[in-house]
Amino acid sequence: MRERSAESNGKYIAVHLRFEEDMVAFSCCVYDGGDEEKKEMDVAREIGWRGKFTRRGKVIRPGIIRMNGKCPLTPLEVGLMLRGMGFNNKTAIYLASGKIYKSEKTMAPLLEMFPLLQTKETLASDEELAPFKNFSSRMAALDYSVCTYSEVFVTTQGGNFPHFLMGHRRYLYGGHSKTIKPDKRRLAILFDNPRIGWKSLKRHLLNMRAHSDAKGVEMKRPNESIYTFPCPDCMCRLNKTTHSKPIHTR
C-alpha cells in the first residue's frame, strides 16, 4: 500500500466500510428500496437472525433508524463525505471491508471519485490470499494491519474493529493518531437535505473533519473502553505505586 502511495510519500488513508449484505440487513435501513431489496433483506434477516425481526409487536422504522445515525454509510455517501472533507481524486485510499452489498453497482461512484482506491484483493494475488480467504477473522486481520499504519483512519460504523484499532493507533502514535469518526446523525440530515448546495455541504464536512482530528488526542473518560482509550503511562505509574507499597500483615 505504501508503494501504491508513492506520490504522497507512502502516506494513505484507510476507510473501514461496513456495507456488507448482513450489515445492511441487520440495520433494517432502506436504500434503493423496491421489492427486490426488500425480498433480499427479508431473506438475509431470516437466515442470520431467525424470527428476530418478524416476532409479534416488532416495529421497524427505517427513517428513525437513519436519523439516529444507525444506518451503515453507502460507498457513495463515504465518497461524498471524503471529497467534502478535502480529499481529492489523487488521494491513496485503502478500503477495509468484507464483500460489499451489490458491489458492482454500489462501488462505482466511490471508485470514480477515488481511482487510486485499493483493497486487499487488489493488492494481493489469489495465491497470497488463499490461506486467509475462507476465514473471515484472518481477512479482517489483514485489513487491520494495513489500517494500523495509515496516515488517517476513517471509521463509518461502530464495532470491535474500529474501537480496538483507534486504541491501538493512539498507543502507537502517543495519542496523536489521525482519526475521522463522522457524526452520522448530522450526515443523515445533510445528505437528506435536497436544498443544500455543495459549498454549504463542504463547509459542514470540513468542520466535522476538524472536530474529528482534534479528538485524536483525547484521553479516556469514565466508562469509556480501555481498548479505545489506552493510557499505558498512567496505568504503569499507578501500578508501580500500588505494588511498591509494603504489605502489612496482621
Side-chain angles (χ1 to χ4, degrees):
M1 189 62 211
R2 285 172 174 160
E3 290 176 3
R4 300 290 180 94
S5 313
E7 290 188 11
S8 52
N9 297 317
K11 296 179 180 180
Y12 59 92
I13 74 170
V15 179
H16 185 221
L17 178 62
R18 295 305 315 271
F19 201 68
E20 302 90 347
E21 182 178 275
D22 62 339
M23 196 69 191
V24 174
F26 185 79
S27 72
C28 294
C29 299
V30 174
Y31 291 95
D32 286 343
D35 291 338
E36 182 181 356
E37 180 183 299
K38 185 179 185 306
K39 289 176 182 177
E40 288 176 347
M41 294 299 99
D42 285 345
V43 170
R45 280 191 281 268
E46 190 60 24
I47 292 174
W49 305 273
R50 190 173 299 276
K52 177 180 175 69
F53 298 98
T54 56
R55 66 175 182 264
R56 182 177 295 180
K58 181 74 173 180
V59 178
I60 298 173
R61 297 186 175 90
I64 293 177
I65 295 171
R66 179 168 174 79
M67 295 312 295
N68 284 334
K70 302 297 184 182
C71 288
L73 295 179
T74 68
L76 171 59
E77 290 172 333
V78 170
L80 288 173
M81 179 186 75
L82 293 176
R83 290 301 291 267
M85 288 181 172
F87 297 100
N88 61 34
N89 62 358
K90 294 184 178 180
T91 303
I93 292 180
Y94 179 80
L95 190 72
S97 177
K99 185 178 179 181
I100 299 297
Y101 176 56
K102 292 188 175 180
S103 61
E104 187 172 342
K105 175 183 178 182
T106 58
M107 283 295 294
L110 179 59
L111 288 168
E112 185 175 349
M113 285 185 272
F114 295 99
L116 300 182
L117 183 146
Q118 302 287 343
T119 66
K120 51 188 173 294
E121 288 82 8
T122 62
L123 291 172
S125 66
D126 290 339
E127 291 76 15
E128 289 172 321
L129 284 179
F132 306 88
K133 201 124 190 177
N134 295 324
F135 304 91
S136 59
S137 58
R138 295 183 186 180
M139 295 290 273
L142 292 178
D143 281 338
Y144 186 100
S145 299
V146 182
C147 289
T148 300
Y149 298 101
S150 62
E151 179 72 7
V152 180
F153 173 62
V154 183
T155 174
T156 64
Q157 193 75 10
N160 289 334
F161 185 105
H163 289 161
F164 290 165
L165 186 61
M166 285 189 288
H168 191 172
R169 284 166 53 82
R170 281 190 176 101
Y171 175 77
L172 283 178
Y173 303 115
H176 297 282
S177 60
K178 294 180 181 178
T179 301
I180 294 177
K181 186 179 179 183
D183 183 338
K184 291 174 64 181
R185 291 182 179 180
R186 284 186 62 197
L187 281 180
I189 294 172
L190 293 171
F191 287 149
D192 293 350
N193 182 357
R195 291 177 293 181
I196 194 169
W198 177 246
K199 288 184 178 180
S200 178
L201 176 62
K202 188 170 184 178
R203 184 176 69 252
H204 284 287
L205 292 173
L206 286 171
N207 287 337
M208 194 179 294
R209 178 184 175 182
H211 180 65
S212 290
D213 283 345
K215 291 176 69 176
V217 297
E218 277 187 316
M219 296 298 285
K220 182 179 179 296
R221 297 186 296 269
N223 301 323
E224 291 279 10
S225 169
I226 189 65
Y227 298 109
T228 308
F229 294 94
C231 305
D233 293 338
C234 300
M235 288 191 295
C236 288
R237 286 198 293 271
L238 178 62
N239 290 339
K240 185 176 181 181
T241 303
T242 302
H243 292 303
S244 63
K245 291 180 180 179
I247 300 175
H248 299 286
T249 58
R250 293 182 179 179

